[in-house]
């Protein structure tokens, strides 16, 4: 009786084993799609999709995820503004092209939706962001003063927007440097910010040009806005190169004269001796023939 | 000297055909060369990936072998030039042995450098894009120069012997006889010819010394012009040259014994030669020991942080067994053997010479590789294989094939040409007899 029960249990376990294993194998991690809006110099708008998933207790960037990005409504194929695959950094950049114009001009507020395709590891995921159209302007005033203005679209009118935090900086290689000791500014009631540029000795390009930048970063309503302006406030960069100088560390054909004199002198001296000896062999041959 | 005695010397010193043992020896060397050629074929096909060289150790046993070959080639200048210029007569039977060791070693030094290149078909770029400021270019120039000078130093004293060999037409195969005729038919034993040859040999003996010193100093500068622990030394040129003289002399002692025994040259390579070469070897081993003490004791006394890991790795760490093996076999044991007159007999001297050669090969390996495993910046996020270096079978095969190739060149040379200068031996015997007579 006891043996019969054990046999039954084993049969029962074997019968359910495939479905148990199958249930194990189809368990997938949840994919999270983040979507950020960027407006660069009021000329180019683009979106960045970020794919990530919590694996081994921490979020990791997920590459090779196919993503479709829509404007306002993901159900309508006409609203598709871009398709792509995430890079090794888990990112996909999609430009808001003139194709989206019909939807873009409909409203001051826009909704963007990103939808990922189902893969072996992840189910379909959706991410979205809603922004209100805004534009950022940057200009200069007398006495190295920087002026920035934020305007927001309200129905069909651009209105100044107070109380928005932004950064005023100057572009450098690898990042931006604040124009003075203040890290961030907030727009006043007229949507303006005025700040003094205090980086006097900063090297610019060959003409002394620097690029000023006004940045609204990761704003919940307006996204990421950037405005740039070139000003001749930097020190002129005089490009110094020793590429053509003769030195021990220079390129080929640019060794110091003393080294060339020494090396070629030694080589010449030794090879003159070798050639002389070869001529002596010729003399020996001649003497033998005589 | 009577004709009978002269004929006896010629008969004794003329090249001999390979016996059974000689054939086995040649076949073995050719087998090793064939294996090396196969391994090199694999390296050409798959790339340097077949070696154990990686990002850190980019100079493995190929470069160690190169340094070894350059070192042993220096013997040509020691025996031929230094001893000739100092009017040392006893070295006459050894000059040709030393010169052929020099020529074959320098040939394989050049070849092993090409083997070390991942893309040998791009070798010409070294000449097109080479910088005069680089010690690598200096090395290329000086090796080429040394090769030609050594070849000339081998050829000039050979001329009178060629005439003798042409006279023994019936002993040689037709092609070999034609080869002798091509090389030396113009030699007629004329006084003017002797005068030119004598002058040429003296010029070569003088000019080979600075070139030989340059070749090994420049090779040392390949390392010493960097900041790396173990290489960043002002002592390196002299350290390399002293080591080169030692291994070269060791190589000559080994060759002396082998030729003496195999070709039955006991009358010409005597106990006295082993005795004198043994003394030279002791002196050179002591000199090299002195430079080793300088090279290791001074940095070990200061124990700079960057040097510490490298030095401890040699003294007590990963490389300690090999390091102490090299120090003892290349210096201490040969000194202990050769200090005593009994140790300077042919067989013990041969053993001492062999130890010097083997120990010196490993010494070159220890100069090249451990430094590369101790870079200034810590090794992070690299595969485990990057932390250690042990040559792959392809590297071993190629390195051994290059050594076998050098030995084959010497073997074939000794088969074709007299390994002891016949004409000079006759002259010296004659002058010795005249001295006795008067």
């Amino acid at each position: 009786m006891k043996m019969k029960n054990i046999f039954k249990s084993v049969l029962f376990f074997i019968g359910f084993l495939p479905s148990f294993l199958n249930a194990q194998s189809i368990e997938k991690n949840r994919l999270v799609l983040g979507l950020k809006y960027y407006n660069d110099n009021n000329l180019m708008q683009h979106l960045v999709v970020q794919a990530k998933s919590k694996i081994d207790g921490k979020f990791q960037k997920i590459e090779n995820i196919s993503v479709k990005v829509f404007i306002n409504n993901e159900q309508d194929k006409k609203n598709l503004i871009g398709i792509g695959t995430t890079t090794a950094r888990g990112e996909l950049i999609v430009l808001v092209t003139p194709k989206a114009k019909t939807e873009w001009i409909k409203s001051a507020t826009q909704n963007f939706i990103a939808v990922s395709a189902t893969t072996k590891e992840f189910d379909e995921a959706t991410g979205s962001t809603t922004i209100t159209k805004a534009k950022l302007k940057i200009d200069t005033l007398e006495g190295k003063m920087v002026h920035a203005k934020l305007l927001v679209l309200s129905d069909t009118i651009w209105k100044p927007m107070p109380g928005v935090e932004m950064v005023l900086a100057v572009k450098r290689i690898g990042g931006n440097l604040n124009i003075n000791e203040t890290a961030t500014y907030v727009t006043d009631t007229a949507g303006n910010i005025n700040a003094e540029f205090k980086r006097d000795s900063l090297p610019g390009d060959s003409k002394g040009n620097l690029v000023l930048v006004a940045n609204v970063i990761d704003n919940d309503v307006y996204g990421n806005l950037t405005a740039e302006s070139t000003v001749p406030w930097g020190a002129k960069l005089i490009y110094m190169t020793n590429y053509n100088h003769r030195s021990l560390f220079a390129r080929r054909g640019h060794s110091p004269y003393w080294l060339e004199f020494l090396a070629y002198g030694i080589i010449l001296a030794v090879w003159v001796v070798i050639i002389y000896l070869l001529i002596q062999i010729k003399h020996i041959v001649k003497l033998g023939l005589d | 000297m009577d004709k009978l005695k002269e004929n006896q010397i010629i008969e004794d010193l003329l090249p001999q055909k390979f016996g059974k043992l000689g054939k086995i020896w040649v076949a073995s060397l050719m087998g090793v060369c064939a294996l090396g050629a196969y391994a090199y074929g694999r390296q050409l096909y798959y790339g340097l990936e077949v070696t154990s060289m990686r990002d850190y150790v980019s100079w493995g046993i190929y470069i160690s072998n190169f340094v070894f070959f350059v070192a042993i080639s220096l013997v040509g200048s020691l025996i031929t030039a230094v001893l000739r210029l100092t009017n040392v007569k006893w070295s006459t039977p050894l000059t040709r042995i030393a010169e052929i060791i020099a020529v074959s070693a320098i040939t394989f030094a050049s070849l092993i450098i090409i083997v070390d290149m991942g893309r040998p078909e791009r070798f010409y770029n070294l000449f097109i894009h080479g910088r005069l400021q680089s010690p690598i270019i200096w090395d290329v120039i000086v090796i080429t120069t040394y090769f030609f000078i050594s070849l000339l130093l081998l050829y000039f004293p050979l001329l009178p012997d060629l005439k003798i060999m042409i006279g023994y037409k019936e002993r040689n195969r037709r092609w070999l006889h034609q080869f002798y005729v091509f090389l030396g038919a113009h030699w007629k034993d004329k006084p003017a010819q002797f005068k030119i040859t004598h002058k040429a040999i003296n010029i070569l003996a003088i000019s080979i010394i600075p070139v030989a010193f340059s070749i090994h100093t420049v090779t040392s500068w390949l390392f010493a012009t960097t900041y790396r622990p173990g290489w960043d030394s002002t002592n390196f040129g002299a350290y390399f040259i002293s080591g080169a003289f030692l291994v070269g002399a060791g190589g000559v002692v080994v060759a002396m014994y082998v030729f003496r025994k195999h070709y039955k040259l006991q009358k010409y390579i005597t106990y006295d030669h082993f005795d004198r070469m043994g003394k030279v070897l002791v002196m050179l081993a002591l000199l090299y020991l002195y430079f080793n003490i300088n090279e290791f004791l001074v940095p070990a006394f200061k124990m700079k942080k960057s040097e510490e890991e490298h030095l401890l790795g040699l003294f007590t760490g990963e490389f300690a067994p090999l390091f102490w093996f090299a120090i003892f076999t290349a210096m201490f044991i040969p000194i202990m053997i050769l200090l005593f007159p009994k140790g300077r007999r042919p067989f013990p001297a041969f053993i001492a010479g062999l130890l010097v050669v083997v120990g010196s090969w490993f010494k070159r390996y220890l100069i090249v590789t451990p430094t590369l495993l101790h870079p200034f910046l810590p090794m992070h996020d690299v595969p485990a294989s990057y932390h250690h270096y042990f040559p792959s079978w392809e590297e071993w095969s190629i390195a051994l094939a290059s050594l076998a190739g050098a030995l084959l060149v010497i073997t074939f040379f000794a088969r074709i040409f007299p390994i002891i200068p016949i004409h000079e031996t006759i002259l010296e015997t004659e002058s010795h007899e005249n001295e006795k007579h008067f």
Side-chain angles (χ1 to χ4, degrees):
Chain A
M1 186 68 190
K2 205 175 176 184
M3 276 302 288
K4 205 173 178 181
N5 282 340
I6 292 169
F7 185 66
K8 273 182 183 175
S9 304
V10 170
L11 274 182
F12 177 81
F13 179 73
I14 292 169
F16 279 90
L17 189 63
S19 54
F20 174 73
L21 289 173
N22 198 32
Q24 286 275 310
S25 65
I26 59 168
E27 196 174 301
K28 294 179 175 180
N29 285 312
R30 196 169 82 84
L31 185 72
V32 178
L33 287 184
L35 197 54
K36 286 183 176 182
Y37 168 81
Y38 289 83
N39 182 354
D40 304 328
N41 258 333
N42 306 315
L43 293 172
M44 170 85 80
Q45 289 77 35
H46 71 268
L47 296 144
V48 175
V49 182
Q50 289 173 322
K52 54 188 175 180
S53 180
K54 204 169 192 179
I55 300 169
D56 299 332
K58 56 184 178 182
F59 274 110
Q60 294 185 14
K61 293 159 186 173
I62 308 296
E63 61 178 321
N64 287 328
I65 299 290
S66 178
V67 181
K68 289 179 179 175
V69 180
F70 299 88
I71 183 167
N72 289 335
N73 179 8
E74 77 272 26
Q75 304 299 333
D76 194 342
K77 281 185 180 176
K78 280 190 293 183
N79 290 4
L80 179 71
I81 56 170
I83 307 175
T85 308
T86 55
T87 61
R89 296 173 65 186
E91 285 187 353
L92 167 68
I93 297 173
V94 174
L95 300 178
V96 183
T97 57
K99 197 179 150 190
K101 188 180 176 185
T102 322
E103 287 296 318
W104 180 261
I105 57 173
K106 274 184 186 172
S107 163
T109 307
Q110 300 293 337
N111 188 29
F112 295 99
I113 307 113
V115 182
S116 71
T118 307
T119 65
K120 276 184 187 173
E121 293 87 11
F122 304 103
D123 283 330
E124 181 186 289
T126 306
S128 67
T129 183
T130 304
I131 57 104
T132 300
K133 287 177 200 165
K135 57 184 176 185
L136 190 56
K137 291 180 176 178
I138 187 166
D139 206 348
T140 55
L141 303 173
E142 206 174 319
K144 290 194 180 177
M145 289 294 288
V146 180
H147 170 73
K149 189 174 186 76
L150 180 67
L151 298 166
V152 176
L153 190 62
S154 176
D155 293 332
T156 53
I157 303 159
W158 289 99
K159 288 181 178 172
M161 179 51 64
V164 178
E165 194 178 67
M166 74 170 79
V167 174
L168 291 179
V170 59
K171 259 193 172 177
R172 310 305 295 159
I173 292 172
N176 293 339
L177 177 72
N178 291 331
I179 60 167
N180 56 38
E181 62 281 355
T182 310
T184 56
Y185 298 88
V186 178
T187 51
D188 62 13
T189 49
N192 290 332
I193 288 169
N194 291 326
E196 191 182 356
F197 178 83
K198 289 183 179 174
R199 307 282 182 186
D200 282 340
S201 56
L202 213 58
D205 62 12
S206 58
K207 292 174 183 168
N209 286 333
L210 295 172
V211 178
L212 297 173
V213 188
N215 246 348
V216 172
I217 300 163
D218 276 344
N219 188 288
D220 292 341
V221 185
Y222 312 112
N224 295 279
L225 309 173
T226 307
E228 292 180 3
S229 174
T230 303
V231 290
W233 293 348
K236 284 183 184 174
L237 182 75
I238 299 159
Y239 183 63
M240 301 282 281
T241 174
N242 57 5
Y243 187 68
N244 290 320
H245 290 182
R246 287 181 175 272
S247 76
L248 281 174
F249 304 97
R251 65 205 157 98
R252 184 177 187 271
H254 284 70
S255 44
Y257 283 119
W258 64 262
L259 180 69
E260 292 203 352
F261 179 75
L262 206 69
Y264 291 131
I266 294 169
I267 294 165
L268 195 73
V270 175
W271 278 90
V272 161
V273 170
I274 292 173
I275 291 163
Y276 169 77
L277 292 169
L278 291 173
I279 294 167
Q280 294 310 302
I281 292 174
K282 210 180 157 191
H283 283 167
I284 292 173
V285 172
K286 207 178 162 191
L287 282 167
L289 292 174
D290 287 345
Chain B
M1 191 169 64
D2 58 50
K3 198 73 187 165
L4 208 64
K5 206 164 186 180
E6 190 179 316
N7 284 343
Q8 185 59 51
I9 292 174
I10 294 170
E11 197 62 38
D12 288 346
L13 298 183
L14 274 178
Q16 296 167 30
K17 284 180 183 169
F18 291 133
K20 197 178 171 186
L21 201 64
K23 281 176 186 164
I24 292 169
W25 168 249
V26 170
S28 314
L29 292 177
M30 281 181 160
V32 176
C33 287
L35 182 67
Y38 172 69
Y40 186 54
R42 277 179 56 80
Q43 185 181 303
L44 282 179
Y45 188 79
Y46 294 108
L48 282 174
E49 196 191 28
V50 301
T51 70
S52 295
M53 291 187 282
R54 293 293 180 263
D55 286 27
Y56 290 97
V57 177
S58 52
W59 285 356
I61 53 168
Y62 294 155
I63 297 295
S64 314
N65 221 15
F66 162 74
V67 180
F68 174 79
F69 277 132
V70 172
I72 205 163
S73 76
L74 219 69
V75 74
S77 69
L78 171 76
I79 305 286
T80 317
V82 178
L83 297 184
R84 186 185 286 270
L85 289 174
T86 48
N87 213 19
V88 173
K89 294 287 178 199
W90 61 263
S91 67
T92 307
L94 316 181
T95 49
R96 198 159 288 156
I97 295 175
E99 268 312 313
I100 189 58
I101 289 176
V103 170
S104 63
I106 206 69
T107 306
F108 279 88
S110 320
L111 290 177
I112 202 77
I113 280 290
I114 297 169
V115 167
D116 191 56
M117 298 172 78
R119 299 288 301 268
E121 78 278 12
R122 294 183 178 175
F123 183 63
Y124 67 94
N125 283 322
L126 196 67
F127 301 97
I128 297 173
H129 303 294
R131 293 165 62 248
L132 190 66
Q133 301 97 309
S134 164
I136 289 176
I137 283 290
W138 307 344
D139 222 21
V140 171
I141 295 167
V142 88
I143 283 174
T144 315
T145 311
Y146 188 70
F147 172 76
F148 281 105
I149 293 184
S150 298
L151 216 55
L152 286 172
L153 202 49
L154 194 63
Y155 180 66
F156 274 106
L158 199 63
L159 283 168
D161 289 359
L162 283 169
K163 185 177 176 283
I164 295 168
M165 284 185 293
I166 290 168
Y168 286 81
K169 189 180 175 183
E170 69 286 354
R171 279 177 65 115
N172 303 313
R173 284 170 189 265
R174 199 162 162 252
W175 68 268
L176 193 56
H177 178 73
Q178 280 174 346
F179 184 54
Y180 293 147
V181 169
F182 170 74
L183 287 176
H186 49 270
W187 184 266
K188 305 287 180 201
D189 280 346
K190 288 185 177 177
Q193 286 181 320
F194 274 115
K195 197 179 165 191
I196 293 173
T197 309
H198 186 68
K199 192 177 163 190
I201 292 170
N202 276 343
I203 292 172
L204 282 166
I206 293 165
S207 51
I208 202 170
I209 295 172
V211 176
F213 270 64
S214 304
I215 189 176
H216 218 48
T217 307
V218 167
T219 303
S220 82
W221 287 350
L222 295 178
F223 305 94
T225 47
T226 70
Y227 290 110
R228 307 198 64 143
W231 293 351
D232 183 16
S233 161
T234 53
N235 199 26
F236 243 43
Y239 171 55
F240 266 50
I241 286 175
S242 63
F245 276 142
L246 173 66
V247 62
V252 167
V253 170
V254 172
M256 275 163 63
Y257 180 80
V258 173
F259 285 126
R260 179 181 192 265
K261 194 168 171 61
H262 189 69
Y263 288 134
K264 298 185 175 48
L265 300 172
Q266 284 83 349
K267 263 199 285 179
Y268 305 94
I269 302 173
T270 60
Y271 273 41
D272 185 50
H273 288 108
F274 283 96
D275 184 67
R276 288 173 193 270
M277 276 306 290
K279 285 172 185 167
V280 170
L281 215 52
V282 170
M283 184 197 74
L284 292 170
L286 285 170
L287 187 70
Y288 191 46
L289 190 63
Y290 164 77
F291 278 110
N292 269 277
I293 291 167
N294 269 281
E295 200 50 46
F296 292 111
L297 186 71
V298 176
F301 188 83
K302 293 182 278 188
M303 211 50 118
K304 285 190 269 183
K305 202 68 200 163
S306 57
E307 297 269 356
E308 188 182 352
E309 206 183 334
H310 168 70
L311 288 170
L312 291 179
L314 290 177
F315 296 160
T316 54
E318 188 186 351
F319 295 101
L322 207 55
F323 177 76
W324 293 114
F325 170 80
I327 294 286
F328 274 88
T329 51
M331 283 163 273
F332 281 116
I333 301 174
I335 291 171
M336 294 312 291
I337 294 173
L338 297 167
L339 263 181
F340 303 99
K342 277 187 180 174
R344 295 195 291 275
R345 285 177 179 178
F347 186 70
F350 162 72
I351 296 295
L354 205 60
L355 287 174
V356 166
V357 174
V358 173
S360 297
W361 192 92
F362 285 105
K363 189 76 176 60
R364 286 351 177 241
Y365 174 76
L366 289 166
I367 289 171
V368 176
T369 304
T371 287
L372 293 167
L373 285 169
H374 298 115
F376 283 114
L377 293 175
M379 291 192 250
H380 279 316
D381 295 331
V382 291
S385 63
Y386 285 32
H387 289 270
H388 304 280
Y389 171 76
F390 188 80
S392 66
W393 75 262
E394 283 91 349
E395 285 175 276
W396 280 118
S397 305
I398 293 169
L400 287 172
S402 68
L403 294 166
L407 290 174
L408 261 184
V409 170
I410 298 168
T411 307
F412 282 126
F413 181 87
R415 166 66 191 88
I416 297 172
F417 300 107
I419 199 67
I420 292 177
I422 300 174
H423 182 257
E424 280 184 75
T425 308
I426 292 169
L427 284 185
E428 275 189 15
T429 314
E430 219 166 49
S431 91
H432 192 63
E433 279 182 2
N434 287 343
E435 274 171 26
K436 264 191 197 171
H437 187 71
F438 290 108

